[in-house]
């Protein structure tokens, strides 16, 4: 197996991954977005009347999107969605409450995690929206959150059971938007730290998580069995960001530099070329990978790979990616001057497409 870092080929050995046994769904056809000869077009999305900023965190894979909208400068961001060129403020910002849109399926249903911060500490939860309407959800537990929504409406989620002082156990569950009270147990995460949360989930319910104990170790959990994502010699401090179609992407340190990493479902590990300081990575079903961009004035734009091959940079200074759809659409924002000094930076919601 060959791995490339910052454009230079370097052998780092074969990792004994077991991802090939995950039974991942067949890869969809590679999107035109991975063709270096195509033309990228940015579309800025509208905001509801009175809103100042917005950003895309998920797409419905055929033009629609969901994310955050700042409707009141005195409050945290609310939840919003875009369809057919129209913006919808689905849930207004609320005091002490933050939202993070996690995923959206092709029917437009999207899921978001919530955190309510108060003097007693954060309280975690989640919400589900479709066509601007909040849907009923499964019962909540001590802590809980959502990880993925499948095309059929199945939602993979997590909850912690016990008491906040005892070291509660973390369980993975699955339920459907049409049958939220019918919860299926997918297994318990062994040895999971009290305050940690899983990172992501695949369509089939496979869960990705990192345990920070004597150095970060990354795992997938499927059918109640945990499998560690191995590291070849020279690759250290790895953290897994996302999983799709059995493939995992994340970051690590290689040769003293921060780099992006792909754990493929054929059992190989690749250090992504041109991946220094790429931010969180996202991956779609066909193996298209994007970095967040917006991290370096000398490396303008959003980096794009097709599996282990660097393709291009999209956009320029101020363009930030949060997601990549299965149709190859990149979603995020363009930082505006009025939002450049905020943390995190804020701006205009945007989509990038290649044709």
């Amino acid at each position: 197996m060959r791995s490339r870092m910052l454009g230079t080929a370097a052998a780092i050995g074969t990792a004994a991954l077991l991802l090939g046994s995950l039974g991942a769904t067949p890869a969809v056809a590679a999107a035109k977005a991975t063709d270096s000869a195509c033309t990228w077009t940015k579309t800025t999305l509208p905001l509801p009347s009175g809103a100042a900023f917005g950003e895309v965190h998920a797409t419905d894979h055929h033009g629609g999107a969901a994310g955050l909208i700042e409707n009141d400068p005195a409050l945290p961001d609310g939840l919003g969605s875009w369809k057919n060129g129209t913006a919808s403020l689905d849930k207004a910002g609320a005091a002490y409450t933050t939202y993070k849109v996690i995923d959206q399926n092709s029917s437009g249903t999207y899921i978001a995690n919530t955190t309510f911060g108060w003097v007693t500490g954060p309280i975690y939860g989640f919400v589900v929206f479709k066509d601007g309407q909040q849907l009923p959800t499964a019962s909540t537990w001590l802590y809980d959150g959502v990880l993925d929504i499948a095309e059929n409406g199945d939602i993979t989620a997590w909850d912690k059971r016990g008491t906040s002082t005892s070291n509660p156990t973390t369980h993975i569950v699955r339920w459907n938007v049409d049958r939220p009270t019918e919860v299926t147990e997918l297994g318990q995460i062994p040895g999971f730290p009290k305050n940690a949360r899983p990172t992501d989930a695949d369509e089939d319910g496979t869960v990705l998580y990192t345990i920070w104990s004597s150095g970060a170790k990354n795992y997938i959990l499927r059918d109640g069995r945990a499998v560690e994502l191995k590291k070849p010699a020279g690759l250290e401090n790895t953290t897994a960001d996302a999983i799709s179609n059995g493939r995992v992407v994340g970051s690590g340190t290689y040769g003293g530099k921060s780099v992006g990493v792909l754990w493929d479902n054929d059992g190989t590990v690749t250090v992504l070329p041109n991946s220094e300081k790429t931010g969180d990575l996202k991956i779609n079903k066909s193996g298209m990978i994007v970095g967040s961009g917006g991290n370096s004035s000398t490396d303008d734009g959003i980096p794009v790979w097709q599996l282990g091959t660097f393709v291009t940079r999209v956009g320029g200074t101020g363009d930030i990616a949060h997601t990549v759809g299965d149709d190859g659409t990149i979603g995020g924002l363009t930082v505006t001057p009025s939002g450049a000094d905020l943390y995190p930076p804020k701006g205009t919601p945007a989509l990038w497409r290649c044709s």
Side-chain angles (χ1 to χ4, degrees):
M1 184 274 297
R2 297 181 64 81
S3 175
R4 292 154 292 185
M5 190 192 82
L6 306 179
T8 303
I12 61 174
T14 301
L17 288 179
L18 300 177
L19 286 177
S21 66
L22 294 182
T25 55
V28 298
K32 289 183 179 180
T34 58
D35 182 355
S36 59
C38 69
T39 300
W40 285 91
T41 302
K42 178 172 72 174
T43 302
T44 56
L45 302 178
L47 290 169
S49 177
F53 301 112
E55 54 191 68
V56 172
H57 279 213
T59 79
D60 67 4
H61 319 297
H62 55 84
L68 303 180
I69 291 177
E70 182 186 284
N71 62 289
D72 185 332
L75 295 172
D77 296 340
L79 291 171
S81 57
W82 293 267
K83 187 176 182 180
N84 299 325
T86 300
S88 171
L89 177 63
D90 299 332
K91 197 172 185 68
Y96 309 110
T97 303
T98 58
Y99 298 104
K100 183 179 181 181
V101 175
I102 300 300
D103 196 18
Q104 186 175 29
N105 66 11
S106 61
S107 74
T109 304
Y110 71 91
I111 56 177
N113 284 327
T114 67
T115 304
F116 178 76
W118 193 239
V119 292
T120 56
I123 299 173
Y124 301 111
F126 55 85
V127 290
V128 180
F129 276 86
K130 183 178 182 180
D131 298 329
Q133 301 297 314
Q134 188 170 347
L135 304 180
T137 59
S139 299
T140 58
W141 298 273
L142 178 63
Y143 306 105
D144 50 15
V146 286
L147 297 165
D148 177 85
I149 182 167
E151 283 300 295
N152 67 355
D154 281 349
I155 292 174
T156 303
W158 61 273
D159 73 89
K160 289 198 173 187
R161 301 174 197 172
T163 67
S164 58
T165 59
S166 69
N167 195 23
T169 58
T170 303
H171 295 252
I172 304 301
V173 298
R174 195 169 172 97
W175 48 278
N176 191 279
V177 292
D178 295 325
R179 303 179 303 279
T181 60
E182 299 177 13
V183 177
T184 301
E185 297 278 342
L186 297 185
Q188 178 182 337
I189 297 181
F192 204 55
K194 172 183 173 182
N195 296 320
R197 290 177 282 174
T199 303
D200 195 16
D202 216 340
E203 283 250 335
D204 64 355
T206 300
V207 170
L208 178 67
Y209 64 99
T210 299
I211 292 182
W212 293 88
S213 178
S214 302
K217 293 184 178 181
N218 306 287
Y219 297 86
I220 53 171
L221 180 73
R222 184 171 187 266
D223 296 331
R225 185 172 68 97
V227 178
E228 183 179 356
L229 303 183
K230 300 297 184 180
K231 298 189 295 286
L235 182 61
E236 304 293 338
N237 305 316
T238 56
T239 301
D241 293 332
I243 183 171
S244 181
N245 200 24
R247 301 182 178 102
V248 175
V249 288
S251 61
T253 302
Y254 187 69
K257 298 181 181 295
S258 176
V259 295
V261 182
L262 166 67
W263 288 268
D264 207 338
N265 53 18
D266 65 356
T268 60
V269 182
T270 301
V271 174
L272 298 175
N274 305 313
S275 64
E276 185 177 358
K277 298 180 180 179
T278 59
D280 288 349
L281 296 177
K282 301 297 181 182
I283 185 169
N284 69 8
K285 287 183 178 179
S286 67
M288 179 180 168
I289 302 167
V290 299
S292 62
N295 292 294
S296 171
S297 60
T298 59
D299 271 342
D300 293 339
I302 299 163
V304 178
W305 298 263
Q306 178 60 33
L307 298 177
T309 301
F310 180 75
V311 178
T312 188
R313 289 187 181 272
V314 176
T317 302
D319 290 336
I320 297 175
H322 288 312
T323 187
V324 56
D326 290 334
D327 63 346
T329 298
I330 298 172
L333 72 153
T334 294
V335 177
T336 54
S338 58
D341 294 331
L342 301 175
Y343 186 80
K346 293 186 176 183
T348 303
L351 298 174
W352 292 263
R353 297 186 180 91
C354 196
S355 59

